[in-house]
Amino acid sequence: MYMDKIEKLKELITNANYIVFFGGAGVSTASGIKDFRSKDGLYNMKYDYPPETILSHTFFINKTDEFYKFYKDKLNCLDAKPNACHNYLTKLENDGKLKAIITQNIDGLHEKAKSKNIYELHGTIYKNYCMDCGKFFNANYVFESDGIPKCECGGIIKPDVVLYEEGLDDFTINESIKHLAKADLLIIAGTSLTVYPASGLINFYNGKDIVLINRDTTSFDNRASLLIQDDLNEVFKKLKELD
């Protein structure tokens, strides 16, 4: 039955002309990056403050030192490598099938895999800027700094990631909506579909088929024309074997 679903996914991909991929934290777990909501995820670890609080705009402003202790300890994924999912998506893009990757992840792994048309809804750890003068800094500068990373002008450097209480980038949202509206196949993978407004974007998809690949159940399962509840890295490994 499992391989029947992989073969069906392959058939849907073959017949599609405009694929959009919408991914969450589960896309990167095979690369050694923890997700947020699973039993081993960041939200189930014990800290002085809940991760949802630490990763908020208010906390960043008021307790910047505590924010960076958590950020440097738990969100440093500079050494992570793309996995089978990232690499297969790059192949689909190179084949002209995949038109857009819409990701909730901030780890930059799609870019490392050489994909090009990527929309990072929640930003990326690889871009950081001074809150005073606007100068940009790379991720190494931030993660290798002592304490709170500072600019030469004395300003505090902030990661270009969307924290709780902050809005999503308008350009990223609008471009994502444009691609979703044009797509004839939507592949959703590795996301609980509980983080809004990002997960609400999939409602702009008007195409026929939706593939949902996720280890756990979601509230969106009944809308999927193909539901695969398994480890998505293994799914994409099997998919590659059918090429």
Side-chain angles (χ1 to χ4, degrees):
M1 173 60 100
Y2 175 67
M3 281 308 296
D4 287 348
K5 290 192 172 186
I6 303 297
E7 288 167 359
K8 176 62 176 177
L9 174 56
K10 177 65 176 176
E11 178 186 337
L12 289 172
I13 290 172
T14 299
N15 293 333
N17 295 307
Y18 203 117
I19 302 172
V20 169
F21 179 87
F22 184 96
V27 172
S28 296
T29 52
S31 296
I33 299 174
K34 285 191 177 297
D35 63 8
F36 284 80
R37 290 176 171 77
S38 71
K39 60 180 174 49
D40 298 318
L42 292 179
Y43 285 179
N44 289 311
M45 294 180 177
K46 302 302 180 185
Y47 297 97
D48 291 340
Y49 305 91
E52 298 100 317
T53 299
I54 299 173
L55 295 174
S56 69
H57 180 82
T58 298
F59 194 91
F60 175 82
I61 296 299
N62 295 332
K63 295 183 180 293
T64 313
D65 55 340
E66 290 293 323
F67 170 89
Y68 267 114
K69 286 177 185 176
F70 178 90
Y71 183 82
K72 292 178 183 180
D73 184 37
K74 297 302 176 187
L75 299 182
N76 184 350
C77 50
L78 298 183
D79 294 331
K81 301 287 193 299
N83 58 49
C85 177
H86 300 104
N87 293 327
Y88 195 84
L89 293 176
T90 301
K91 175 192 176 298
L92 286 184
E93 186 180 70
N94 291 337
D95 290 345
K97 291 277 188 181
L98 181 67
K99 305 301 183 182
I101 294 170
I102 303 170
T103 179
Q104 299 175 85
N105 298 337
I106 62 173
D107 52 46
L109 288 180
H110 288 294
E111 191 171 2
K112 279 188 180 180
K114 308 298 183 186
S115 287
K116 297 179 178 64
N117 210 21
I118 309 162
Y119 297 94
E120 295 167 315
L121 296 174
H122 296 147
T124 173
I125 65 168
Y126 285 91
K127 295 177 183 176
N128 306 270
Y129 63 92
C130 172
M131 296 178 70
D132 287 350
C133 73
K135 181 178 179 180
F136 272 76
F137 293 84
N138 64 29
N140 293 85
Y141 184 94
V142 170
F143 285 112
E144 293 170 7
S145 63
D146 292 326
I148 300 171
K150 297 280 187 71
C151 176
E152 294 92 331
C153 77
I156 293 173
I157 296 169
K158 182 181 183 296
D160 193 16
V161 300
V162 178
L163 302 176
Y164 288 102
E165 305 167 347
E166 295 178 346
L168 304 188
D169 177 71
D170 286 342
F171 174 82
T172 303
I173 289 290
N174 291 335
E175 290 301 305
S176 297
I177 289 172
K178 286 179 185 177
H179 283 291
L180 285 163
K182 293 178 183 177
D184 58 9
L185 175 61
L186 173 60
I187 301 174
I188 304 170
T191 173
S192 61
L193 294 172
T194 57
V195 178
Y196 286 86
S199 59
L201 289 176
I202 58 180
N203 292 317
F204 289 93
Y205 173 67
N206 297 313
K208 178 185 175 185
D209 291 302
I210 297 174
V211 176
L212 181 52
I213 310 168
N214 203 51
R215 190 174 51 194
D216 303 315
T217 58
T218 76
S219 60
F220 203 77
D221 288 1
N222 62 341
R223 288 182 60 183
S225 41
L226 176 61
L227 178 63
I228 304 177
Q229 290 181 305
D230 211 312
D231 179 272
L232 70 90
N233 192 53
E234 291 302 316
V235 169
F236 281 93
K237 283 182 181 178
K238 295 291 186 186
L239 196 56
K240 186 175 186 298
E241 292 174 5
L242 295 179
D243 284 343

